[in-house]
Amino acid sequence: MSRSIEQPGHDGTRVLVVIISAAVAIVGSFIGSGALLGTPIAQVADGALAADATAVAPGGPAFSIWTLIYLGFIAHAIWQALPAHRADVRQRRLGWWLAASMILNAAWITCVQFEQLWLSVLVIIALLAVLTVAFGILTTERPSSRVEAVVVDATAYVYLGWVCVAVVANIAATLAAADIDPFGLGPDTWAVLVLTTVALVAILLAVAGHGRVTVTAAIVWGLAWIVVARTTGDGLNSRPAAIAAAVAATVAVLATAIARVPRQHTDNPNTQMTR
């Protein structure tokens, strides 16, 4: 059963906007993959966003996580449109933010397609901010069922975790494309610094979210593929970046495990699949 209605709202409008936003994001994904009109992301701007462009670029297979995220968009759009859920108080608070995140995702792809890398940085930072707000809503109001925990919570958590890694990769790619090396520290030093920042963000999310496993899993996924990309193949090798990414992943896992301990006996069973 859905939660009680606390106040009247334009539920139909919100539901429709979420559905349209999901559709826009899906179309954007086809453009970004090069399957529909556009150029594959890794090839735009002379390969600025390729897996070997910077020391913090994840390996190519890492981006397969988008398939899971986009499937989550579709599942969430359908779920929130069902009569039993469209007036749900939690969805009223969350729906607009998730719709905004989908539109920002498509906007990011558009920026990259037109080789506007600096603008893409602003868009992905805005995306991270929006997903952080959604994270706050999700972690303060528990899902009413296992289905909601998967199609709503898990989708948003994986999305947020991946974007945490994508932000630093995007900024690094933009700076490298512009041949900018702040303070002249060099790519390896900067890689260690930004990956340390990712580790700190992972700790903050673990503490704030009481150890949401799906967020950490997405962060670790991205970091693991940075390790792979920096240590194998003919691309850009960097032992400092690989070590920093491995350490960051370990820190993220440990922080999540520790954050879960105080609540392991009091969790609502419905939240376990997203934690």
Side-chain angles (χ1 to χ4, degrees):
M1 294 181 64
S2 64
R3 300 171 185 78
S4 61
I5 300 176
E6 294 182 350
Q7 58 181 338
H10 301 291
D11 297 317
T13 301
R14 187 198 67 250
V15 167
L16 181 60
V17 168
V18 171
I19 292 173
I20 293 174
S21 299
V24 170
I26 299 301
V27 171
S29 73
F30 280 102
I31 294 174
S33 69
L36 179 65
L37 299 176
T39 303
I41 296 296
Q43 297 176 18
V44 300
D46 296 323
L49 296 167
D52 59 354
T54 71
V56 294
F63 296 91
S64 62
I65 196 172
W66 278 114
T67 300
L68 179 63
I69 294 171
Y70 286 125
L71 287 174
F73 287 171
I74 296 171
H76 174 254
I78 294 173
W79 185 89
Q80 58 94 41
L82 297 176
H85 307 134
R86 61 177 57 190
D88 187 282
V89 174
R90 194 173 190 240
Q91 293 308 305
R92 283 180 173 170
R93 292 189 61 200
L94 186 67
W96 294 107
W97 292 105
L98 290 184
S101 76
M102 297 175 196
I103 294 299
L104 285 169
N105 175 264
W108 183 87
I109 292 174
T110 301
C111 291
V112 172
Q113 288 294 311
F114 284 97
E115 301 188 3
Q116 299 300 310
L117 296 184
W118 287 107
L119 185 56
S120 76
V121 169
L122 296 179
V123 172
I124 201 169
I125 290 174
L127 173 58
L128 179 60
V130 166
L131 288 174
T132 300
V133 174
F135 178 77
I137 295 172
L138 289 169
T139 54
T140 55
E141 298 182 18
R142 291 177 174 177
S144 60
S145 67
R146 288 186 178 273
V147 175
E148 181 179 358
V150 174
V151 302
V152 180
D153 296 52
T155 296
Y157 292 158
V158 171
Y159 194 8
L160 171 61
W162 171 253
V163 169
C164 287
V165 177
V167 165
V168 299
N170 194 172
I171 294 173
T174 302
L175 290 172
D179 197 24
I180 296 175
D181 179 5
F183 308 109
L185 297 180
D188 286 343
T189 300
W190 275 114
V192 172
L193 290 174
V194 299
L195 291 171
T196 299
T197 301
V198 173
L200 293 175
V201 170
I203 293 173
L204 289 174
L205 291 175
V207 172
H210 305 289
R212 257 56 182 191
V213 171
T214 37
V215 177
T216 301
I219 293 175
V220 170
W221 171 264
L223 292 171
W225 280 106
I226 291 175
V227 175
V228 172
R230 300 291 79 77
T231 56
T232 61
D234 299 324
L236 176 62
N237 290 333
S238 171
R239 179 170 294 184
I243 293 174
V247 171
T250 302
V251 168
V253 171
L254 290 176
T256 301
I258 293 171
R260 289 174 62 83
V261 171
R263 290 169 58 88
Q264 63 183 0
H265 299 300
T266 59
D267 266 334
N268 183 328
N270 291 333
T271 67
Q272 294 299 317
M273 295 186 71
T274 63
R275 297 194 57 192

